[in-house]
Amino acid sequence: MSKREITLVASSQLESHGTVSTVSAGDDRGDRIEIEEKKGGHVLVEIALDVASAGPRPQNSSALSDLPEGGLHAWLTILGAFLVQYASFGYINAFGVYQDFYVRDYLNNYTPSDIGWIGGVQISLNFCLGVFTGGIFDRGHLSLMIGSILLHAIARTVLHPIMLNRLFNSPRVGFHTGIRISAGLNILLLVVAYAMMKPNPRLSLEGHSKSSTDEEETQPRDWTDRFPVLRWLREPAYAVSVFASVFLFSGTFFPVFYLQLDAIIHGIDPTFAFYAVSILNAASIAGRTIPGALAPHVGLFNLGSVMMLAMGVVLFCMAPAVSTGAGTAPVVAFALLFGFFSGAAIALTPAMFAQLAEDASEVGTRLGVVFGIGAAPIAGALLTKHYYWIRPIAFCGSLRHGGDTMLNYTYSIAIGAHYGAPSTQEEVDTLLTHAVAVGARFWDTSDVYGDSQNKIGNWFAKNPDQRKNVFLCTKYGYCRLPTENTFSGACSDPTYVPQALEASLSALQTDYIDLYYQHRVDPKVPIEAVLESLRPAVESGKVRWLGLSECSVDTLRRAKKLKGLGEKVIAVQLEYSPFTLDVEKNGMAEACKGLGVSLVAYSPLGRGLVSGRYRSRADLDPQDGRLWLPRFSEENFHKNLLIVDKLKAVADKIGCTPSQVTLAWILAEHPDWVVIPGSRSIDRLEENTKAGEVVLSLEDVKHLRKLVDEAEVAGNRYMDSLMGETYANSLPLTEWNA
């Protein structure tokens, strides 16, 4: 039996897709990708320096994705939520009115520091039940449109301070009667809201419960199943985010509570000062809406970080803005700027924290913990009776910057998707040199895999004669900030793609790329427009061949029909392993064969799980991005080892490793596929290349197929928030407005 030529992905960076592939490039840099068997089977090694492919995560498509939109009950629920926000958080956000009244009139025997604790405790109580109410939300008892509620929340923070100021300062009403009127109104609004809000029956405890098998039910429950918060706090990113929330929220509310008092103390007209907090809260309307619309384009964490940084900078300006004696203009400017940036930060923060959840059914509880622990504004205690405004302002600004820094670190360890610590340039050079020595010439990377392109480029700079011997693949389609190790999601804007290409050519230190993939389908841009943006590069020779990744069958067919470019689309990269068999079931495998497109199967070893080297989460580096994937979660890890152990039993019988038997089985069933497993070390490289020497009998192949088909895989390959990017459809050309 002939050995099969295998192309392996040797990942020198933090993470890697894998690939065992039968892809070979001709001496003319690859006029086609050919799948072939060779006598004596020479093993190629594909170098896929993926640093961020573990970005996508969880599983369990929750019922949230199936919720209908609109309808009377839905809009009544939104209106009810507005009333709840007005009566609860609106009242809290109006504490600045109380602070001013207490200090100057009602409690003038106490210092501002003493009075400041009233608002701090009050808002802490408002949030401290978050862990319980979040759990209720997760179980479907409240179906709310979060974005609309946040917008309504700011609307009532504009109205409430105005109402209280008018009541307290009215000769006919005054403080005591105003309090009673406000309390009675809030109770009435809550009753009305309760009557209006209707839970969605499709988000019930039934939908929240697990559909466990009898075997699962007999397994002893881990004590963290009953208290998942304790399990989450062992996740580095979530633990850091909770700690960051203490800084973020402790530094957020000081201007809301004290701007009115600060303005009056510094001689601002009281009539105007009464509206200062309302101006601040009104500015938050734009802050909570405009950045939300921009987030999908520039990245949630990228935008959130900028908004938080700006909020902290503006906060430092509170003292000079109010105390300059220049009148109301500086106060208005501060209120508008702080309102906008704080509104953006507050609106984006929950979404940022929510991305750390492994499942949509955890989001409410996770956020409840974050808000419940974090909401404790104490800066008012630093004011003292002498009104040292700079103390609490500097304190809050520093806390905001500290929390922002920690949250950025949270994102880097949660979304960076590293397979352990990065390899050094020396380690990369050694691995790539060895790969070439054993005949490897199909290398795969991407512009979002950390500095993988740069390290490959540095190797090419040291070995310029080897470029012609390597079939080089890279990818575009995730927008990112040039100074950030983060990405924002699918982005293939026709103006962006050529820029991404030039950046990759520069990083790789080459003047052409053999195969240029769209990393993920951009649902906002037709595939025809995306490929047209690369036509000049194809015609000039900068790009020799085109590919897609995680696209739908329809998107692939449209790409192949494009005149002058369709014939250049020769590969589709998709995930396939004993844990992920989607391509065999959704028509993609048949479509590729019919269209003459090579199917490149990444992560064939289940991101290393098949190897058997990892028996628990503790075996992974704390920086390893796989810790954030559902299949590697505390709940699912041990369940998936059942598949690994069965593969190992077959491998032991044949006399090879589990990785080798898996690669040999995939190639036996799909001899025309390109399979690319990851290899970060020479040992793994040698192990994977020898999979081409494994001989499987027909009975072995059938047994492995039965084993894989009957396996119960626990957890999805990516998070819910990113599963939508898999097998994605491109925007119809008729719906696109260029």
Side-chain angles (χ1 to χ4, degrees), residues 345-357:
I346 292 171
L348 296 174
T349 298
M352 296 165 71
F353 285 135
Q355 286 205 357
L356 302 177

Side-chain angles (χ1 to χ4, degrees), residues 42-64:
H42 157 87
V43 176
L44 292 182
V45 183
E46 173 195 15
I47 312 300
L49 303 177
D50 296 10
V51 202
S53 63
R57 331 185 235 196
Q59 111 196 36
N60 298 354
S61 272
S62 129
L64 288 171

Side-chain angles (χ1 to χ4, degrees), residues 675-697:
V675 190
I676 52 175
S679 303
R680 289 187 58 191
S681 68
I682 291 178
D683 288 343
R684 297 287 76 75
L685 182 62
E686 295 287 350
E687 176 187 354
N688 290 338
T689 56
K690 289 179 181 178
E693 302 174 7
V694 174
V695 178
L696 298 179
S697 67

Side-chain angles (χ1 to χ4, degrees), residues 144 182 224 247 306 311 487 492 574 584 588 601:
L144 305 178
S182 176
T224 57
F247 285 69
V306 171
M311 177 184 173
F487 54 88
S492 291
L574 300 162
E584 296 176 336
M588 179 58 80

Side-chain angles (χ1 to χ4, degrees), residues 265-276:
I265 292 295
H266 284 93
I268 302 297
D269 178 51
T271 302
F272 168 78
F274 292 160
Y275 293 93

